[in-house]
Amino acid sequence: MEHEMTIDEAAKKAEELRTQLNRWSREYYVEDKPTVEDYVYDKAYAQLVAIEEQYPDLITSDSPTQRVGGKVLAGFEKVTHDIPLYSLNDVFSKEELMAFDQRVQKAVGHPVAYCCELKIDGLSVSLRYEDGQFVRGATRGDGTVGENITENLKTVRSVPLKLKEPMTIEVRGECFMPKRSFVQLNEEREADGKDIFANPRNAAAGSLRQLDSKITAKRNLDTFLYTVADFGPMQAKTQYDALEELEKIGFHTNREKRLCQSIDEVWSYIEEYHEKRVDLPYEIDGIVIKVNEFSLQEQLGFTVKAPRWATAYKFPPEEVETVIEDIEWTVGRTGVVTPTAVMTPVRVAGTTVSRASLHNGDYIQMKDIRINDTVQIYKAGDIIPEVAQVVFDKRPKDSQEYELPTHCPVCGSELVHLDEEVALRCINPKCPAQMKEGLNHFVSRNAMNIDGLGPRVLEQMYDKKLVSDVADLYKLKEEDLLTLDKIKEKSANNILTAIDNSKDNSVERLIFGLGIRHVGAKAAKILAEHFGDLEALSKSDFESIIALDTIGDIIADSVVTYFSNEEVHELMNELKQAGVNFEYKGIRTSQLEKVESPFKDKTIVLTGKLTRFTREEAKETIENFGGKVTGSVSKKTDIVVAGEDAGSKLTKAQELGIEVWTEEKMAEALAESHPAEE
């Protein structure tokens, strides 16, 4: 802050910042229409944090700073729902759906309209607001008694801490984990040797029931609200209008809802979303059908357990049978040894599948999976092939229990369980598989981005003792490369040029490429920007690292542990002698506001083949001029740059009316852009 604020000035500024930040957050997470770039939000957020640190009494329950979590509970207190959360009766066929419609028509005496909604596969929650302030969040429990998970729900960005209107209301909905977050979480857990979640629903439930809300905050949960327990001042007379009104006062509702005038229209909606479900960014397991008019709902009433005016059509599970032909074990970069089922190819959820991760030895033993077993498989989150269960009736009579390996399949070292991990781990630091995986990671696109060095080339280099660690890449000569299969003079020169060019990378790529446990590309950039160079980072302590926003104690401990190793410093010396850059060259967050560029505060998607830039060059340059490059086209996208042979992303951009640029226009815009002054 430029000058010391008085308490009155600070209170006024804090209120302005809270209002602004909550509006931006709602636009991003609820309305899907962000109006500012991330760095603008981050700067305002930092201002608010500074004020609240100076004047703690100014912290309010609706402050966005209260979303980070941090309270650790001894347990969850019970919450009695004044108005019970009813379950729905399920139907599993068109005939059962038609029978439901006939019962409704018979009870009210005429055909009715239905509001159809996607049945989100998550955890039911109830949110209580008093005078517009979020005061309590609870699980469904048994419908009458749930658990108080208020602190955890505060960390979910789409849960408003303050409504647009000061009303007292209780709303119900589903808290879920998006598919992308589910995949990322399981990848992280598997790399850390932890149990993985079976599906996004279990992951969401496990995240909401964390006693430490900081853990929940990292899980990227979302919500869709779909009903009101106590309408209070709401004016809606129908379910469809109620969803619209919930959206208007600040809640996240699912926009795939549809008002159907007949049960035939309902069935068409069900068939449509049975096909579309694979492409949705969240998991659904059916369709909820509700009589639209509230007056008719009241007339139809309830049975002991469920409303007579609603039902849930459950999609049939997409499980198919195949045979386990073999189980392969692979060694990852961190030494975790992972089993993969090799199966007779079979088609499931739109694609042909022949391999499925078995995660760890405990998973194999728990499901009693054996070679030549017939198994049922499905796609967890409609993405990842998983073995659901063994079909024991089809097990061969001479079947033998599968014996887990005791030694590394590559180096032969004894496998161990570390710190009660479920994963088996090879702890030989010289294990060739780990060394090769480390080399693959170092040259990968998000790390040092060295073209031409694919896994097969690196494997040959390692096996021929041309390289033993990443520093050796910078010692390679043309005659070394020409000893490799299928590498001719031109390819060798291209590889050497790519290696030489990588020396000029900004240091966050090197930090990520070194493979420090738990340090992803985003954390690497935060560390690089703050410390400025690798030398400073290597000498930093736990306290200085954990003080950074979004860097937790696990990453801080991992960084300190990594740089405490003498071999790491020897590696750094070799890299430095080779001329590899150790400094941060990227634009700093504080400089972005001074950038002048057509890309500033814009969301860009690159598609098709670019001829004047590599994809990474274009991405980095745009981001240095304040733009944000994403991989998919949505209503949030401002510009799509279409290169040669652009496909579905270009088509979607045209359908949504998004501005489309040629590569030439992008190049002109980059030429017009001016970086921040030093």
Side-chain angles (χ1 to χ4, degrees):
M1 286 175 281
E2 293 180 1
H3 69 280
E4 193 74 15
M5 286 187 180
T6 66
I7 183 70
D8 291 338
E9 288 174 332
K12 183 180 179 182
K13 184 63 178 176
E15 181 56 31
E16 288 174 3
L17 288 168
R18 277 194 296 271
T19 302
Q20 190 175 57
L21 288 163
N22 284 329
R23 185 180 77 248
W24 288 340
S25 186
R26 185 169 62 248
E27 289 167 347
Y28 186 94
Y29 291 102
V30 177
E31 298 171 8
D32 200 24
K33 296 176 182 176
T35 58
V36 297
E37 196 48 82
D38 290 353
Y39 78 90
V40 179
Y41 180 97
D42 293 342
K43 184 179 178 184
Y45 184 89
Q47 281 185 277
L48 181 59
V49 169
I51 291 172
E52 291 182 348
E53 284 178 350
Q54 187 175 1
Y55 300 106
D57 290 345
L58 295 181
I59 299 174
T60 61
S61 61
D62 67 321
S63 174
T65 62
Q66 301 308 294
R67 289 195 184 276
V68 297
K71 289 194 178 180
V72 180
L73 308 175
F76 295 108
E77 64 180 26
K78 300 298 182 184
V79 171
T80 300
H81 300 295
D82 295 332
I83 300 172
L85 280 80
Y86 286 91
S87 56
L88 296 178
N89 289 322
D90 296 331
V91 296
F92 299 92
S93 66
K94 186 175 182 180
E95 292 70 28
E96 291 179 6
L97 181 68
M98 296 300 174
F100 162 75
D101 178 56
Q102 288 301 312
R103 289 194 298 273
V104 169
Q105 289 198 46
K106 183 177 180 181
V108 301
H110 57 77
V112 302
Y114 294 102
C115 181
C116 291
E117 303 163 43
L118 304 184
K119 189 173 183 297
I120 311 299
D121 199 11
L123 192 73
S124 295
V125 293
S126 183
L127 312 179
R128 176 76 180 168
Y129 290 79
E130 293 178 3
D131 298 324
Q133 299 285 338
F134 179 48
V135 295
R136 191 187 71 193
T139 63
R140 179 186 181 279
D142 63 5
T144 303
V145 178
E147 292 179 316
N148 188 331
I149 54 169
T150 306
E151 295 304 320
N152 287 346
L153 283 170
K154 282 180 180 179
T155 72
V156 180
R157 297 283 182 175
S158 58
V159 172
L161 301 179
K162 184 179 181 180
L163 300 180
K164 291 182 181 179
E165 298 177 24
M167 58 174 62
T168 296
I169 190 172
E170 189 167 331
V171 296
R172 274 83 187 263
E174 206 78 2
C175 187
F176 64 94
M177 180 174 286
K179 290 177 182 176
R180 181 181 293 181
S181 302
F182 168 68
V183 172
Q184 182 181 346
L185 175 62
N186 267 355
E187 286 176 349
E188 290 171 357
R189 291 180 69 84
E190 198 158 78
D192 291 341
K194 297 178 182 176
D195 268 328
I196 52 94
F197 288 106
N199 51 56
R201 187 191 184 283
N202 287 7
S207 300
L208 278 180
R209 298 197 74 258
Q210 292 289 333
L211 294 176
D212 184 350
S213 54
K214 268 191 175 180
I215 298 175
T216 309
K218 295 176 182 176
R219 296 285 176 85
N220 298 315
L221 299 176
D222 203 345
T223 56
F224 285 133
L225 281 300
Y226 53 68
T227 195
V228 183
D230 178 9
F231 274 84
M234 289 186 71
Q235 304 299 312
K237 304 297 182 188
T238 67
Q239 172 65 12
Y240 192 92
D241 289 345
L243 292 171
E244 295 282 291
E245 197 168 341
L246 284 172
E247 186 87 27
K248 286 176 183 175
I249 61 175
F251 293 107
H252 197 200
T253 65
N254 189 277
R255 293 170 191 161
E256 307 297 327
K257 65 182 182 297
R258 186 173 300 168
L259 183 58
C260 297
Q261 299 300 328
S262 68
I263 202 67
D264 288 331
E265 287 186 22
V266 170
W267 183 249
S268 295
Y269 179 86
I270 289 170
E271 289 186 312
E272 177 184 340
Y273 278 92
H274 185 266
E275 294 298 318
K276 286 183 175 178
R277 63 185 291 202
V278 176
D279 297 321
L280 292 169
Y282 42 82
E283 193 167 59
I284 64 173
D285 61 354
I287 303 294
V288 175
I289 303 105
K290 301 174 184 174
V291 172
N292 192 42
E293 298 284 339
F294 287 155
S295 60
L296 294 179
Q297 289 185 10
E298 190 173 349
Q299 183 180 336
L300 287 159
F302 294 79
T303 65
V304 175
K305 292 184 177 180
R308 293 189 178 93
W309 42 265
T311 192
Y313 177 87
K314 297 294 287 289
F315 291 137
E318 283 228 56
E319 291 186 354
V320 297
E321 288 188 3
T322 186
V323 175
I324 304 281
E325 296 179 352
D326 194 9
I327 296 176
E328 293 181 354
W329 293 78
T330 55
V331 185
R333 181 167 51 87
T334 63
V336 171
V337 183
T338 305
T340 299
V342 181
M343 307 173 297
T344 304
V346 65
R347 195 164 180 81
V348 57
T351 60
T352 299
V353 170
S354 61
R355 299 172 71 85
S357 174
L358 298 177
H359 305 295
N360 53 64
D362 285 5
Y363 187 90
I364 293 172
Q365 292 179 328
M366 178 184 69
K367 293 183 181 286
D368 190 18
I369 296 169
R370 305 180 184 183
I371 305 295
N372 297 323
D373 266 346
T374 297
V375 294
Q376 289 182 327
I377 67 166
Y378 69 104
K379 282 189 176 178
D382 291 330
I383 300 172
I384 306 168
E386 295 278 357
V387 174
Q389 59 187 8
V390 175
V391 183
F392 290 104
D393 292 345
K394 296 184 179 182
R395 171 169 280 173
K397 291 182 180 178
D398 60 351
S399 173
Q400 299 288 318
E401 186 175 339
Y402 185 78
E403 291 188 14
L404 300 180
T406 57
H407 291 77
C408 175
V410 177
C411 72
S413 298
E414 189 172 352
L415 299 176
V416 299
H417 288 285
L418 290 181
D419 301 325
E420 300 180 0
E421 290 179 345
V422 294
L424 285 168
R425 193 182 288 272
C426 172
I427 57 172
N428 173 15
K430 298 295 184 182
C431 173
Q434 293 180 58
M435 302 297 285
K436 291 173 186 176
E437 285 296 321
L439 288 165
N440 279 322
H441 176 74
F442 186 82
V443 305
S444 64
R445 181 176 295 178
N446 289 330
M448 296 301 277
N449 192 26
I450 304 177
D451 284 338
L453 290 182
R456 290 182 181 176
V457 174
L458 287 169
E459 186 167 10
Q460 286 188 70
M461 287 180 177
Y462 186 87
D463 290 343
K464 292 191 174 192
K465 296 183 169 47
L466 297 177
V467 296
S468 60
D469 59 31
V470 297
D472 288 340
L473 293 170
Y474 296 96
K475 302 172 187 174
L476 289 169
K477 297 181 175 60
E478 184 180 347
E479 53 265 32
D480 296 327
L481 297 176
L482 292 176
T483 66
L484 305 177
D485 293 342
K486 297 181 180 179
I487 298 293
K488 305 299 182 188
E489 190 173 327
K490 184 178 179 182
S491 299
N493 285 327
N494 288 340
I495 289 171
L496 291 172
T497 299
I499 291 172
D500 196 53
N501 289 342
S502 75
K503 294 177 183 178
D504 295 327
N505 286 336
S506 185
V507 75
E508 66 270 18
R509 286 183 169 275
L510 177 58
I511 294 169
F512 177 56
L514 290 173
I516 305 169
R517 200 171 174 198
H518 304 296
V519 177
K522 186 174 180 180
K525 187 163 187 178
I526 292 168
L527 292 167
E529 181 177 346
H530 178 78
F531 289 101
D533 64 66
L534 190 63
E535 299 275 9
L537 175 62
S538 71
K539 296 171 184 174
S540 61
D541 57 21
F542 180 87
E543 286 71 23
S544 62
I545 298 173
I546 201 172
L548 301 179
D549 276 348
T550 75
I551 300 294
D553 53 357
I554 293 176
I555 292 177
D557 185 60
S558 186
V559 170
V560 172
T561 301
Y562 179 81
F563 286 111
S564 67
N565 189 327
E566 188 56 40
E567 289 182 359
V568 169
H569 289 275
E570 290 174 12
L571 179 66
M572 286 173 58
N573 287 334
E574 288 187 62
L575 290 169
K576 192 168 187 177
Q577 287 171 12
V580 177
N581 173 61
F582 276 20
E583 295 182 358
Y584 178 66
K585 293 184 174 183
I587 194 164
R588 296 182 183 275
T589 304
S590 59
Q591 294 176 293
L592 281 172
E593 61 188 50
K594 301 174 186 176
V595 165
E596 295 178 15
S597 171
F599 298 105
K600 188 176 178 180
D601 301 339
K602 295 290 197 306
T603 298
I604 318 293
V605 171
L606 305 172
T607 185
K609 183 181 177 183
L610 302 180
T611 57
R612 299 178 61 174
F613 306 85
T614 67
R615 187 69 63 91
E616 282 302 309
E617 285 171 348
K619 181 177 184 292
E620 276 193 23
T621 309
I622 289 169
E623 288 177 345
N624 280 340
F625 287 128
K628 179 180 180 181
V629 179
T630 63
S632 58
V633 178
S634 71
K635 287 180 283 186
K636 297 179 184 179
T637 307
D638 296 301
I639 299 167
V640 170
V641 177
E644 296 175 6
D645 302 321
S648 59
K649 292 179 183 178
L650 174 58
T651 304
K652 187 170 182 180
Q654 292 166 336
E655 289 173 353
L656 293 173
I658 293 166
E659 189 174 356
V660 177
W661 287 10
T662 61
E663 185 180 1
E664 287 69 27
K665 186 167 182 179
M666 177 183 74
E668 290 170 7
L670 289 172
E672 294 169 8
S673 301
H674 300 289
E677 296 177 7
E678 292 295 330

